[in-house]
Amino acid sequence: MKLLVTGGAGFIGSNFIHYRLKNHPNDQIVNLDVLTYAGHLESLKDLAGNENYQFIKGDITNSEDVKKGMEGVETVVHFAAESHVDRSIVDPLIFVKTNVLGTAQLLEAALDNKVKRFHHVSSDEVYGHLGPEDAAFTENTPYHPRTPYSASKAGSDHLVRAYFETYGLPVTITNCANNFGPFQDPEKLIPRFITNLLMGKKVPLMGKGENIREWLHTEDHSKAIDLVLQKGRLGETYLIQGEEKTNLEITRMLLKILGMGEDMIEYVEERLGHDFRYANDGSKLKALGWEKEHSLEKDLKEVVSWYKENEWWWKPLKHGRPNIDRKVQKAYEPIH
Ligand SMILES: NC(=O)c1ccc[n+]([C@@H]2O[C@H](COP(=O)([O-])OP(=O)(O)OC[C@H]3O[C@@H](n4cnc5c(N)ncnc54)[C@H](O)[C@@H]3O)[C@@H](O)[C@H]2O)c1
């Protein structure tokens, strides 16, 4: 099968390409990625010379690039996005451009090329946030995005569904929890904390660290997408459930793995509108046969080891980047 993977140089996309080529060695994969600050071809350097893998540097918001990527493709798995909530607070318009317009360009080209499946990768953040006692999100929870990131992902989800309803494009959607695994950019919580600690620096924890996130290993995520491609019903959405933990619990797990104390935590100001809790009811996907195989308890250690052993990958990314925390604070100033 020939697949177009968009955003394959990013965190989850690169893990998905590795997973797919390992488990479906006869697939041909085209990776269309414009290589923003979040795109790292180094994550795929082991695929050099693999005849079943092709990289195209291209922008999903550009119809010519998308046309080139879509040639002869049966299945599209769409990861490409601006994905960092903090950045969306500082610069929302690029999120609208990439996540909404980019998805629309891909949907148009998918229709023209009569692809057999357009799979859209989305986030549980489109549903808003939950209180401590609220029931988990289901596929029927009304959308209530609260950040420019989640609003742009919500927009893309609606477009994907509209192309199913209006044009009969064969689509499926998965919305998932926060991912953890190798090759995640050190701007996101888990790799940021690991790499800070490996460099002997403190970790900035917002508020009291009480916010709750669900965590999903990238391999479990790839398996879920694979299953939905095989067995998912067209036009349907599947939530992918992770494991709930507070940010403080995650921080403590990392400190324990690295043999460090709580003096390495620096408590920083809570972000305005910081979503309190996300939780997903994964029964619909489980009914297709998916089960989570990884756990934080077992696999966070491996992720820490990966960052220990792969400084060549993340060290260059820790330097020379603008301080997003400061910019986020500044973005709020006029509103306070
Ligand atoms: N990381 C998570 O925990 C998480 C959770 C739920 C959903 N998601 C979704 O999964 C997908 C992948 O997330 P990720 O964490 O791997 O993101 P990422 O930021 O690590 O990677 C995004 C990739 O998309 C590419 N890209 C950005 N703009 C592009 C454009 N205009 N044209 C082509 N390529 C472009 C980047 O270069 C990068 O390689 C996203 O759609 C995100 O919304 C992520």
Side-chain angles (χ1 to χ4, degrees):
M1 185 198 299
K2 185 168 178 183
L3 280 98
L4 170 64
V5 173
T6 69
F11 165 45
I12 308 177
S14 59
N15 276 289
F16 178 77
I17 291 174
H18 282 127
Y19 173 86
R20 195 71 205 189
L21 285 173
K22 189 168 150 206
N23 292 284
H24 303 267
N26 296 326
D27 274 0
Q28 274 182 286
I29 294 191
V30 177
N31 172 13
L32 178 70
D33 196 305
V34 78
L35 301 180
T36 65
Y37 78 95
H40 310 303
L41 279 185
E42 297 78 10
S43 310
L44 298 156
K45 72 173 189 167
D46 56 314
L47 299 180
N50 185 327
E51 287 179 355
N52 288 341
Y53 169 73
Q54 183 194 357
F55 172 67
I56 298 178
K57 186 170 184 322
D59 188 337
I60 59 164
T61 68
N62 177 305
S63 60
E64 286 306 311
D65 290 355
V66 168
K67 204 168 145 191
K68 210 194 297 169
M70 200 70 76
E71 265 167 33
V73 161
E74 278 170 62
T75 297
V76 178
V77 184
H78 175 32
F79 294 96
E82 287 293 338
S83 70
H84 191 34
V85 174
D86 286 348
R87 284 179 185 264
S88 82
I89 292 165
V90 175
D91 190 5
L93 294 189
I94 184 68
F95 282 70
V96 177
K97 185 176 178 206
T98 301
N99 300 357
V100 182
L101 181 63
T103 301
Q105 287 285 13
L106 285 165
L107 289 164
E108 277 292 292
L111 259 190
D112 287 348
N113 284 271
K114 300 187 172 48
V115 300
K116 297 207 173 92
R117 179 71 67 89
F118 186 99
H119 183 75
H120 179 57
V121 178
S122 193
S123 161
D124 55 5
E125 299 187 27
V126 298
Y127 299 110
H129 72 156
L130 298 167
E133 307 301 331
D134 290 341
F137 302 134
T138 72
E139 290 78 2
N140 299 321
T141 301
Y143 274 39
H144 192 140
R146 291 164 29 95
T147 65
Y149 164 68
S150 51
S152 66
K153 290 299 289 185
S156 66
D157 293 9
H158 291 319
L159 275 170
V160 172
R161 263 182 221 116
Y163 271 68
F164 171 73
E165 300 290 347
T166 309
Y167 307 109
L169 186 71
V171 308
T172 41
I173 301 178
T174 44
N175 295 67
C176 74
N178 280 14
N179 282 221
F180 72 105
F183 298 112
Q184 186 170 27
D185 194 285
E187 73 175 359
K188 302 280 173 68
L189 190 133
I190 287 182
R192 182 178 186 189
F193 282 16
I194 297 173
T195 54
N196 270 20
L197 293 171
L198 290 176
M199 292 168 82
K201 285 168 53 176
K202 292 193 179 197
V203 297
L205 191 58
M206 273 185 208
K208 294 184 185 142
E210 286 168 337
N211 295 54
I212 299 168
R213 298 288 177 265
E214 253 191 19
W215 294 97
L216 173 73
H217 193 279
T218 43
E219 194 173 37
D220 283 330
H221 189 178
S222 295
K223 269 189 194 152
I225 294 172
D226 207 12
L227 183 67
V228 170
L229 288 177
Q230 287 171 46
K231 294 192 179 165
R233 283 188 49 196
L234 297 183
E236 296 282 321
T237 292
Y238 297 86
L239 295 192
I240 316 177
Q241 191 175 347
E243 195 180 333
E244 277 193 67
K245 286 272 181 265
T246 66
N247 289 343
L248 181 59
E249 284 170 329
I250 288 284
T251 309
R252 285 186 170 144
M253 288 176 94
L254 293 174
L255 289 170
K256 189 167 166 213
I257 294 168
L258 287 162
M260 293 178 173
E262 296 205 9
D263 54 317
M264 293 305 282
I265 302 176
E266 181 187 357
Y267 288 93
V268 296
E269 202 182 326
E270 186 64 280
R271 184 205 288 149
L272 196 72
H274 194 188
D275 286 348
F276 179 70
R277 171 178 168 237
Y278 311 123
N280 298 300
D281 177 343
S283 349
K284 187 172 167 185
L285 184 64
K286 285 182 186 156
L288 288 189
W290 180 81
E291 271 306 329
K292 194 161 66 63
E293 286 173 21
H294 292 265
S295 69
L296 285 163
E297 191 59 40
K298 187 164 65 70
D299 297 289
L300 203 52
K301 242 182 253 161
E302 272 181 31
V303 174
V304 171
S305 303
W306 187 88
Y307 280 89
K308 269 190 183 164
E309 287 156 18
N310 290 282
E311 280 194 3
W312 66 273
W313 186 88
W314 60 263
K315 266 248 162 101
L317 305 175
K318 290 290 269 189
H319 299 295
R321 281 189 170 170
N323 185 329
I324 290 293
D325 295 342
R326 211 170 299 136
K327 286 192 170 185
V328 169
Q329 292 297 342
K330 258 190 133 168
Y332 284 138
E333 270 167 19
I335 309 165
H336 279 309

